Amino acid sequence: MSRKFYITTPIYYVNDVPHIGHAYTTIAADVLARYHRLAGDAVFFLTGTDEHGQKVEKAALERGLTPKAHADLLTVNFQKLWKKLEITNDAFIRTTDREHISVVQELLQKLYDKGEIERRTYEGWYCTPDERFWTEKEIVDNKCPDCGRPVERITEDNYFFLMSKYQDRLVKHIEDHPAYIRPESRRNEVLGFLKSQKLGDLCISRPKARLSWGIELPFDRDFVTYVWFDALVNYFSATRYLSPAAEGSSEASKREAFWWPADHHLVGKDILTTHSVYWSTMLMALGLPLPGNIFAHGWWTRDGKKMSKSIGNVIDPNEVADAHGVDSFRYFVLREVPFGLDGDFSIETFTTRFNTELANDLGNLLSRVVTMINKYFDGKIPPASENQPFDKELRETAALMATKVDEDLSALAFTRYIQDVWTLVTRANRYVEENAPWTLAKNKDLDRLGAVLYNLSESLRLIALYLYPVMPSTSQKIWDALGIDKKIAECRMDTEQPWGKLAIGVAIQPGAQLFPRIDKQKNRETKMDMPAEEKKQPAAQPAPTGLEPIGIEDFMKVDLRVGKIISAERVEKSEKLVKLKVDIGTEIPRQVVAGIGKSYTPEELIGKSIVIVANLKPAKLMGIESQGMLLAASNGDLLAVATFDRETKAGSRVK
Ligand code: ME8
C-alpha cells in the first residue's frame, strides 16, 4: 500500500489577478507534490478559488457583472497561470461548486444539531471591505484598525460558532504536536496569543439583506455563511468529490477516509490565524482529525515596497516567465528566500542568480560535457573505466546529497534543498577543473577522459533527478541531452538514485543552451527592471481590469443602449439593490436590478438617461429577474451611474 500525501494551497480570491505571492505558495506546493510522486506516494494536490463573500461581490459589482459571471472570468486567470507555471495540481476547487456547497451545508447543520452554533444578537463595529466586526476598544477614530477605512455600527442577529470552548484543547494540540504550526516563530506567535487572550466565539453568518453572495445556512434561509467558514471547508469537501480514487475505490466516503486529514496546508502568514484557530477548532467541533501541518510562509515585497496595483509595482509571474522561462522563476522564488521568511523581488537579484547559478554553474556544465562527448566520443556516453580519488569524492557528494534532500523537503526547507543539490553542481564543476579534460584530450588520454566525462554525465543525471521537482522542464532537457529515454515524471526516486545507472554507449542528444545569459538591456526592453513609476504608464492599458484585450469585433457584440429610467424602487431586505423599469425603445420596458441603492435614492434615479447592456442574459438577484445591466463607475464607496451630457433618445445604440 502506498503512503498518501495530501497537500493544499489557499484558495485564492477571485477579486484580483494572480501575482507572485499566489504563484509562490502554489509553486512550493507543486515541488512537494512532484517530490512525493517521485517517492512513490499517492499524492493529492489541491488548489482553487474562493468565490463567495463581500470582496468578490464588490469586485463583480464594480465590473457590472453578477458575482458568478465575474468569478467564471477571473478563475481562468489562475487556471491559465498554473498551466503556464507547470503546476501539477490534481484538482481545482471552486467554492461555487455544487458539491462543495452541499458539504458546507452538511457541516453547518451538523454543528447546529450538536449545539455548536448558537443564535445571538450582536452589536458591534463592522468593516465592510474586511467583512469583520471590531469591538469598541479595537477601532481607531471610528476606523478599521486593519485597513483604516470607516466602520459602521451594526446591531443584528447572527449565528455564532462556539469557538471559545476549544481554546484549551487547541493550546494542548499545538503543544503536543510541535510540527502542527511551522515555522517555529509562527507557532510561538499563535501559542503566545492563545495563552494571553481569551478566545471569542466566531460569528459565522451574514444576514442576506446585507450580503446575498454566499452559501445559505441550511437552518435559517435569511442568512448566508461567513466566507471563511465556506472557504476553509474546501480542504475537506474536496476529498469527497475531487480527490483521486482511493485504492481503487471512487466512493466518496472511502476517498474522504483515505485522504483526510491533509498532510500540509501551505498558507501565507496573513491567513495563519484563520487556519490555526478557526479551522482547527471547527474540525475539533466536527470530530474530524486535524491536518498534519499548517505552514505559514513569509511575504513578498517588490524592491522593498509592498506590492499594490495602485503603485503599479505588482510582479506578474506571467511576465517573468515569458521573459526568462518558467523554471528560472520557480527556481528563484524558492532559492532566494528561506520558506517562512519575508522576501523581496528585484530584477537585479533575479538576473544575478540566473546568470551565475543557472547559466554558469548548471548550463555551462552540461554544455561542456556534451560538447566534449560529441567531439571525442562520437556523441556516445563513454565507458567509466577507472576509479581515482576525485571520482570517489564526486560519488560521495552525490550520495550525501541524496540523504540530505529528503530531510530538507520533510522540513519544507526549499532553499536548503536547492543548496544541497548545488553541492553536487559545485563539486562537479570543481571536478572539471581538477581533471582538466581538455588537457587529457590534448594528451590523447582517452581512457581517463572517458571516465571523467562519464562521471560528469552521471552527476548531471542525478542533479536533474533531484532538481526535477523545482525545475521540471530543465531537468527533463538534461536527461534528454544525455540520451536518457525516460520521462522523469514517470520514474521512481529509489530506482533512479544509485550511481552508475547511465547507460554506456547511448547517443547523446544535445539541445539548445539551457539558460542563455540575461543581459540587462533585454530586461529594460521587456520593462522588467524599470522603476515602478516609469513602468506604470505603458503597462496600464489592459492591466487595470485584469482581463485580456479584445478586438472591436468583440466589443461590438455588446449591445449598449440608451435607457430612460421610468420607475425605481428599493428591493425589500436589501440595502444595495434597486429595481428599475427602463425604457430602451422597446414596447415593454426592461426590468433591471442594480446594486446602486447605497449611492442613490429611487427618486433621484427616475428620469435619468443611462447606459444599458441590452443583450445580457437575464440573471436573478435576490430572486428578482434582471433583464440587463446599467453602467456605473465605482468612486470609493459611492457609485456614479453613467449618463449623457446631451438629450438622447431611449433605445439609441451607444458605441
Ligand atoms: O486570503 N507574498 O485569498 P488571497 C506572499 N481566499 N504570499 C502572498 C502574497 C505576498 N505578497 N500575496 C498573496 C485569501 N499571497 C483567502 C484564502 S483559504 C481557505 C482562503 C498568497 O487571494 C499567500 O499564500 O488573498 C496568501 O496567504 C494568499 O496568497 C492569500 O490569497
Side-chain angles (χ1 to χ4, degrees), residues 120-136:
R120 288 180 195 158
T121 302
Y122 185 80
E123 187 175 352
W125 295 99
Y126 190 71
C127 172
T128 309
D130 285 351
E131 296 176 53
R132 61 166 294 181
F133 281 102
W134 297 102
T135 61
E136 187 75 46

Side-chain angles (χ1 to χ4, degrees), residues 370-387:
V370 294
T371 307
M372 293 189 82
I373 293 179
N374 253 345
K375 192 159 168 197
Y376 299 106
F377 295 92
D378 201 18
K380 303 223 169 65
I381 300 283
S385 56
E386 285 184 58
N387 207 347

Side-chain angles (χ1 to χ4, degrees), residues 257-274:
F258 181 74
W259 292 106
W260 190 257
D263 294 79
H264 294 283
H265 290 319
L266 300 194
V267 297
K269 65 179 185 183
D270 55 324
I271 54 175
L272 177 59
T273 309
T274 49

Side-chain angles (χ1 to χ4, degrees), residues 10-55:
I11 47 170
Y12 306 110
Y13 284 128
V14 285
N15 58 348
D16 212 342
V17 286
H19 63 65
I20 183 179
H22 304 113
Y24 184 50
T25 326
T26 314
I27 291 171
D30 188 57
V31 171
L32 290 169
R34 284 177 185 266
Y35 186 85
H36 279 266
R37 287 191 199 108
L38 273 189
D41 295 341
V43 171
F44 178 27
F45 167 18
L46 178 72
T47 187
T49 41
D50 189 354
E51 306 190 359
H52 289 123
Q54 211 128 14
K55 274 191 194 151

Side-chain angles (χ1 to χ4, degrees), residues 490-552:
E490 290 158 17
C491 291
R492 284 280 302 261
M493 194 78 97
D494 48 4
T495 4
E496 297 302 325
Q497 220 161 37
W499 181 274
K501 296 264 312 180
L502 187 65
I504 294 162
V506 169
I508 58 164
Q509 311 281 340
Q513 224 181 325
L514 284 183
F515 300 101
R517 288 176 69 81
I518 303 177
D519 70 64
K520 284 254 166 187
Q521 191 54 33
K522 185 172 163 210
N523 277 340
R524 291 209 169 271
E525 280 156 19
T526 57
K527 300 187 184 64
M528 288 212 0
D529 70 347
M530 283 196 176
E533 278 313 310
E534 229 177 286
K535 191 182 158 189
K536 208 169 131 189
Q537 281 283 320
Q541 292 259 327
T545 59
L547 302 176
E548 285 178 9
I550 56 165
I552 185 73

Side-chain angles (χ1 to χ4, degrees), residues 42-242:
V43 171
F44 178 27
F45 167 18
L46 178 72
T47 187
T49 41
D50 189 354
E51 306 190 359
H52 289 123
Q54 211 128 14
K55 274 191 194 151
V56 173
E57 189 184 58
K58 187 161 173 273
L61 212 67
E62 279 169 10
R63 286 208 178 127
L65 293 171
T66 61
K68 179 64 167 64
H70 162 90
D72 287 348
L73 274 177
L74 287 218
T75 197
V76 174
N77 290 329
F78 287 92
Q79 288 166 341
K80 273 196 191 157
L81 179 64
W82 302 154
K83 215 163 173 203
K84 174 178 270 183
L85 297 182
E86 301 205 32
I87 302 298
T88 55
N89 51 305
D90 298 288
F92 189 97
I93 191 166
R94 299 183 56 185
T95 52
T96 47
D97 290 347
R98 189 176 38 82
E99 298 90 338
H100 168 75
I101 293 173
S102 112
V103 176
V104 170
Q105 291 185 323
E106 175 195 314
L107 299 191
L108 280 164
Q109 188 68 51
K110 191 167 170 194
L111 289 178
Y112 187 68
D113 294 344
K114 284 176 81 180
E116 303 280 352
I117 291 178
E118 209 173 86
R119 186 177 173 126
R120 288 180 195 158
T121 302
Y122 185 80
E123 187 175 352
W125 295 99
Y126 190 71
C127 172
T128 309
D130 285 351
E131 296 176 53
R132 61 166 294 181
F133 281 102
W134 297 102
T135 61
E136 187 75 46
K137 268 196 255 156
E138 286 168 324
I139 59 166
V140 186
D141 297 334
N142 275 2
K143 299 219 170 75
C144 168
D146 213 22
C147 71
R149 284 174 279 201
V151 286
E152 290 174 75
R153 187 82 185 157
I154 290 186
T155 308
E156 63 187 20
D157 266 19
N158 261 317
Y159 287 87
F160 285 78
F161 162 52
L162 306 184
M163 183 163 78
S164 56
K165 68 180 191 197
Y166 292 98
Q167 181 156 10
D168 293 344
R169 232 177 102 184
L170 180 58
V171 169
K172 183 158 183 346
H173 186 86
I174 300 172
E175 283 178 339
D176 290 351
H177 299 84
Y180 187 57
I181 299 173
R182 295 261 113 193
E184 188 70 16
S185 55
R186 301 273 165 229
R187 174 176 183 262
N188 293 339
E189 238 174 67
V190 175
L191 273 177
F193 153 77
L194 284 172
K195 285 178 164 180
S196 64
Q197 287 179 39
K198 177 101 193 66
L199 203 58
D201 292 329
L202 182 68
C203 176
I204 49 113
S205 66
R206 299 289 181 264
K208 268 197 199 161
R210 192 147 55 75
L211 174 71
S212 57
W213 182 235
I215 299 178
E216 206 171 69
L217 294 188
F219 43 84
D220 191 336
R221 304 206 165 269
D222 288 336
F223 292 84
V224 294
T225 195
Y226 174 41
V227 66
W228 271 103
F229 191 99
D230 163 2
L232 289 162
V233 168
N234 93 86
Y235 302 132
F236 174 75
S237 66
T239 62
R240 295 243 190 112
Y241 74 101
L242 291 173

